[in-house]
């Protein structure tokens, strides 16, 4: 056990960097290995929460790579005051809510993931604006837009960009007080301050930062007193000219149960969305991750066409894409085989099947008709008025993009139109997309709704 963990520790330190290692991983001990679960003991709940949220993956990876097959981690808090049920164990996947304390600067900001840097962020059309805005904020200087509001679906890089901002800004200005946390943690801290009657400290802490970043702000929707406090914190910082960065899974106006005054405050700065990835971006991300994995798994052979295959087939989000690649490398290294298409299909069967849930042309037509408030029969029918023709072309475009149907097959589903008509429609929308921002937004919205 000691050997296994000793070896793993050394590699983890290289993998996550020595600061992160010392702070988060050094206190852990490996206490057991059974049925694919590695048991780790941890001095505090806080630590076990963070480790299970942020470091499960590298730990699993390193253990597996060193020939200890594990699928799960479980954490035991060793220094618990002895309760009737003994030490508490929490499975890594269902990490308990963090209970960060307001005990000074060290615990002020959530730990940053060492991998989430600007250098590791691959820029493409769907995220170039968000990336540029994030860079701008990281540079510091005069606040040009406040807040920066980043939004987009899961796994598209919001958290990555926020960590990158924090890291970069801190490197430029070591004196800057930067506070990054999720809206969930904001709430826990606030509730804790209420309970412990330390609200003044709480206010003081949040009002003296230079850069505040709150991730996944949709979480506070419907939580009235937290929203209220957030609103005041927000205003106080904006008044002092301090930069704020917010992320959410949707645009401010679309977050239900968020107070109007907060929505309008959030909309005052720059709102940028991270679009769903396109094929080119997915391929670049895969190439970049492959480079990183090569340092961990030297000597692995990657067959041609594997990355292209993955970029085509796994379209859901970057996290899934990354997970797939990681599993593939780990598998190939364990089996001592080169990575080819056969192995890819075998090893990733479940992920591939899940992303195969393709939408049908009919679903697309229904959604588009609903969105533009027209009848489905008109959408596929022969009338050529513009109010019908444009949505029809959008539906054709989405059908081509989102399904694997051929042009003639799509034509048949659009009232027996010729494949050239479909091609024309698809081309037309491609042209319009780059000129007409509101049309581009409509399309993204529809696509997201269909992918959900
Ligand atoms: P979100 O917060 O939007 O749900 P994350 O920032 O957590 O998404 O990203 C999910 C995973 O995908 C992370 O591991 C992140 O590093 C990776 N990722 C997302 N976008 C990119 C990108 N453009 N380049 C490199 N990695 C990315
Ligand atoms: Mg996130």
């Amino acid at each position: 056990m000691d050997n296994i963990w000793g070896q793993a520790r050394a590699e983890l330190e290289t993998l996550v960097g020595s600061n992160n290692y010392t702070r988060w991983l050094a206190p852990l001990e490996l206490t057991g290995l059974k049925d694919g679960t590695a048991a780790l003991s941890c001095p505090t709940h806080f630590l076990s929460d963070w480790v299970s949220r942020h470091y499960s993956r590298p730990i699993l990876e390193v253990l597996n790579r060193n020939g200890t097959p594990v699928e799960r981690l479980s954490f035991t808090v060793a220094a618990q005051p002895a309760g009737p049920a003994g030490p508490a164990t929490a499975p890594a996947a269902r990490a308990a809510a963090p209970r960060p304390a307001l005990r000074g600067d060290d615990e002020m900001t959530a730990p940053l993931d060492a991998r989430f840097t600007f250098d590791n962020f691959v820029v493409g059309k769907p995220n170039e604006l968000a990336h540029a805005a994030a860079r701008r904020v990281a540079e510091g200087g005069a606040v040009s837009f406040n807040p920066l509001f980043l939004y987009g679906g899961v796994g598209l890089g919001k958290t990555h960009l926020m960590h990158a901002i924090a890291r970069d800004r801190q490197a430029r200005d070591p004196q800057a007080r930067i506070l990054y946390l999720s809206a969930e943690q904001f709430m826990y801290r606030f509730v804790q301050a209420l309970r412990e009657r330390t609200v003044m400290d709480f206010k003081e802490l949040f009002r003296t930062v230079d850069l505040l970043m709150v991730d996944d702000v949709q979480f506070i929707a419907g939580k009235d007193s937290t929203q209220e406090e957030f609103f005041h914190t927000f205003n106080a910082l904006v008044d002092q000219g301090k930069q704020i960065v917010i992320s959410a899974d949707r645009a401010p106006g679309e977050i239900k149960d968020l107070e109007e005054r907060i929505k309008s405050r959030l909309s005052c700065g720059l709102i940028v969305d991270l679009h769903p990835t396109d094929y080119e971006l997915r391929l670049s991300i895969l190439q970049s991750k492959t480079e990183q994995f090569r340092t961990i798994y030297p000597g692995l052979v990657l067959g041609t066409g594997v990355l292209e295959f993955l970029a085509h087939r796994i379209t859901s989000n970057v996290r899934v894409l990354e997970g797939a690649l990681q599993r593939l490398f780990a598998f190939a290294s364990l089996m001592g085989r080169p990575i080819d298409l056969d192995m890819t299909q075998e090893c990733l069967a479940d992920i591939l099947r899940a992303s195969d849930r393709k939408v049908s042309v009919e679903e697309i037509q229904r959604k588009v008709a609903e969105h533009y408030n027209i009848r489905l029969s008109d959408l596929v029918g022969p009338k050529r008025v513009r109010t019908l023709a444009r949505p029809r072309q959008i539906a054709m475009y989405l059908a081509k993009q989102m399904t694997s149907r051929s042009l003639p097959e799509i034509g048949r589903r659009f009232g027996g139109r010729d494949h050239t008509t479909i091609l024309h429609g698809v081309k037309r929308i491609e042209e319009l997309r780059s000129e007409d921002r509101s049309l581009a937004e409509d399309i993204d919205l529809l696509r997201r709704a269909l992918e959900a």
Side-chain angles (χ1 to χ4, degrees), residues 158-160 180 215-216 247 319:
K158 301 182 293 296
T159 298
H160 188 135
Y180 163 86
D215 207 350
D216 289 320
S247 86
R319 191 172 295 135

Side-chain angles (χ1 to χ4, degrees), residues 116 120-122 127 155-160 289 318-319 322:
F116 293 177
N120 285 344
F121 191 79
V122 180
N127 60 23
L156 296 181
K158 301 182 293 296
T159 298
H160 188 135
K289 303 277 173 205
V318 183
R319 191 172 295 135
E322 222 176 50

